Amino acid sequence: MVFKPPMFYDKEPTIEVENPPAAELETRVADALATNFGVDASDVTVVADGTQITLTGTVLDGAEISRATEVAACVDGVSEVRNFIRSGGFLH
């Protein structure tokens, strides 16, 4: 295999947006959920569609489902939260 240095015709490549707005918003919501003591968000997925956030996955109980909605809605830039999180509980 031969590795060649990238050639950009004597110009640096331009990156228009390093983190698209949706990815940035998803990251901020996921971080807020991960650092909130009222929600175990280890099995929660965050997807942004513009300023709308969709939450999916499982948590322990209904209180965590409600808390996840509250936390996500408080993140700057979120206009709506669609919560499809289910209560999973623990299997014994």
Side-chain angles (χ1 to χ4, degrees), residues 8-32:
F8 298 104
Y9 305 103
D10 298 326
K11 295 180 182 177
E12 288 293 316
T14 56
I15 300 173
E16 292 183 22
V17 179
E18 190 166 312
N19 285 320
E24 182 182 326
L25 187 58
E26 286 173 3
T27 300
R28 288 190 289 127
V29 172
D31 286 347

Side-chain angles (χ1 to χ4, degrees), residues 37-61:
F37 293 112
V39 179
D40 176 5
S42 57
D43 289 326
V44 173
T45 301
V46 178
V47 176
D49 182 11
T51 60
Q52 297 176 340
I53 294 294
T54 301
L55 303 175
T56 58
T58 57
V59 294
L60 180 61
D61 58 32

